[in-house]
Amino acid sequence: MTLPIDALIYRAQAYGTCVFFLLTVILCIGPLSRLDTRFLPLLYNRRHLGVMTACLAVVHVKYILDWYYAFSPTDRYVAVLASNTSYFQFLGFPFEVLGLAALLILLVLATTSHDFWLHFLGPPLWKTLHMGIYFAYALVVFHVALGALQSAAGPVIPLVVGASASLVITLHLLAARKERSTENDVPLEADDTPWVVVGDPMQIPNKRAQIVALKEDERVAVFRDGDKVSAISNVCAHQNGPLGEGKIVYGCVTCPWHGYQYRVEDGCSPPPFTEKVPTYRLKLKGNLLLLDPIALPAGTYIEPVVVGGVHAAEKA
């Protein structure tokens, strides 16, 4: 049954609005979880939100084609690309092409979200591919803003879109600033080079980690489990998730993205799983915890550093 034009317009706009705000939420989850650990549970569902967003985008395009080109003598799939070719004008730019490009990216990301593609492509390439979500979001921002301006719908929609994009950018800048401040707090010890100062081990929250930045692309997660402290790579072997943003559950570090677990002493997943991450040596110098920045092979056992006795002696 063919829907009335008004119903097509309403549904097309409703689905398009859902897609835009879901994308905004998805891109806010990462920096929010780095700024406040209370947002970490949302990371588990981010991939599923992305797949749902791609499905909603397909429905949005379906209703748009039914409405926008309902009376076009040209095939609607041809008309969407051929009806406007003013590529050298700002306000006249064919914003439909931007939306189609964003849709293609979302479909690729949704299709490759399954773990088969992760193992087939490898975690680094898979993660690089899925960073395309930022490009898709930029395309959607311009698609919505230009479409609103060309339809003379008023300034409300462009303002909402601009505010949403500004929120995403601001949260990412704040998260990056926090990470840089953490990096600046761990200078090298002059007489213990190349060991890195982590700080007071008892300041690390129990069952949680302090993330230490060694280089621009290398992070170490230093976990405290009671009076024992161990260090492993911050990169999960599953999808390069941030292990340091997870917590110790039943003796294993649990990745906040998809729940992959690793023993903190040797970086190995409990049987029957076989994933491994590198480990790092730690030592105490007075009341300071020091980290050897040279990673050991994945799965190497390192005896945890016991820190409770040091602080107990201080209180006595």
Side-chain angles (χ1 to χ4, degrees), residues 76-160:
R76 62 191 63 190
Y77 297 102
V78 176
V80 72
L81 296 174
S83 60
N84 184 2
T85 57
S86 303
Y87 289 97
F88 300 101
Q89 298 180 14
F90 176 68
L91 289 180
F93 189 88
F95 66 93
E96 300 90 348
V97 174
L98 302 178
L100 286 176
L103 174 64
L104 291 176
I105 295 174
L106 293 176
L107 289 176
V108 169
L109 300 186
T111 303
T112 59
S113 65
H114 194 274
D115 280 355
F116 166 80
W117 290 101
L118 170 68
H119 295 297
F120 179 74
L121 298 174
L125 179 57
W126 186 92
K127 187 173 183 179
T128 300
L129 174 66
H130 281 251
M131 291 297 286
I133 188 70
Y134 290 96
F135 185 52
Y137 184 69
L139 290 172
V140 170
V141 166
F142 286 107
H143 169 72
V144 176
L146 282 175
L149 290 173
Q150 291 182 25
S151 63
V156 175
I157 294 178
L159 287 175
V160 171

Side-chain angles (χ1 to χ4, degrees), residues 13-304:
Q13 292 174 341
Y15 281 106
T17 301
C18 288
V19 169
F20 176 75
F21 283 113
L22 272 175
L23 275 177
T24 301
V25 169
I26 289 169
L27 294 184
C28 287
I29 289 175
L32 281 173
S33 65
R34 292 194 291 273
L35 293 169
D36 191 329
T37 56
R38 289 175 294 182
F39 290 96
L40 285 173
L42 295 176
L43 285 171
Y44 287 103
N45 297 310
R46 187 168 57 173
R47 177 166 56 167
H48 306 298
L49 287 175
V51 174
M52 182 171 65
T53 301
C55 293
L56 291 175
V58 171
V59 178
H60 166 71
V61 171
K62 192 266 183 189
Y63 281 120
I64 284 291
L65 291 175
D66 288 343
W67 159 52
Y68 207 71
Y69 299 103
F71 303 104
S72 174
T74 309
D75 182 271
R76 62 191 63 190
Y77 297 102
V78 176
V80 72
L81 296 174
S83 60
N84 184 2
T85 57
S86 303
Y87 289 97
F88 300 101
Q89 298 180 14
F90 176 68
L91 289 180
F93 189 88
F95 66 93
E96 300 90 348
V97 174
L98 302 178
L100 286 176
L103 174 64
L104 291 176
I105 295 174
L106 293 176
L107 289 176
V108 169
L109 300 186
T111 303
T112 59
S113 65
H114 194 274
D115 280 355
F116 166 80
W117 290 101
L118 170 68
H119 295 297
F120 179 74
L121 298 174
L125 179 57
W126 186 92
K127 187 173 183 179
T128 300
L129 174 66
H130 281 251
M131 291 297 286
I133 188 70
Y134 290 96
F135 185 52
Y137 184 69
L139 290 172
V140 170
V141 166
F142 286 107
H143 169 72
V144 176
L146 282 175
L149 290 173
Q150 291 182 25
S151 63
V156 175
I157 294 178
L159 287 175
V160 171
V161 170
S164 301
S166 298
L167 175 63
V168 172
I169 294 171
T170 301
L171 287 175
H172 278 78
L173 291 176
L174 289 174
R177 181 181 179 184
K178 181 181 180 181
E179 188 172 74
R180 283 198 300 270
S181 66
T182 303
E183 184 175 357
N184 293 334
D185 288 341
V186 287
L188 291 176
E189 280 280 280
D191 57 347
D192 276 292
T193 304
W195 291 70
V196 174
V197 176
V198 178
D200 184 346
M202 299 306 289
Q203 294 299 313
I204 302 174
N206 190 31
K207 307 291 184 181
R208 292 283 188 177
Q210 176 177 328
I211 299 176
V212 179
L214 298 180
K215 294 182 290 188
E216 183 178 349
D217 58 348
E218 185 177 2
R219 302 288 185 270
V220 178
V222 182
F223 279 90
R224 181 169 74 87
D225 189 5
D227 62 353
K228 297 180 180 179
V229 183
S230 300
I232 61 175
S233 171
N234 189 51
V235 180
C236 178
H238 176 223
Q239 288 184 0
N240 288 0
L243 290 177
E245 296 176 11
K247 61 181 179 180
I248 296 177
V249 179
Y250 299 118
C252 290
V253 174
T254 303
C255 180
W257 280 14
H258 303 104
Y260 274 60
Q261 293 188 308
Y262 305 88
R263 293 190 297 260
V264 71
E265 299 89 356
D266 59 10
C268 295
S269 294
F273 305 103
T274 58
E275 286 79 13
K276 300 177 182 179
V277 296
T279 56
Y280 294 79
R281 293 187 298 160
L282 295 169
K283 70 178 180 180
L284 281 173
K285 182 182 179 184
N287 298 332
L288 290 178
L289 184 67
L290 304 181
L291 167 72
D292 184 353
I294 300 176
L296 298 173
T300 302
Y301 177 84
I302 295 293
E303 189 71 24

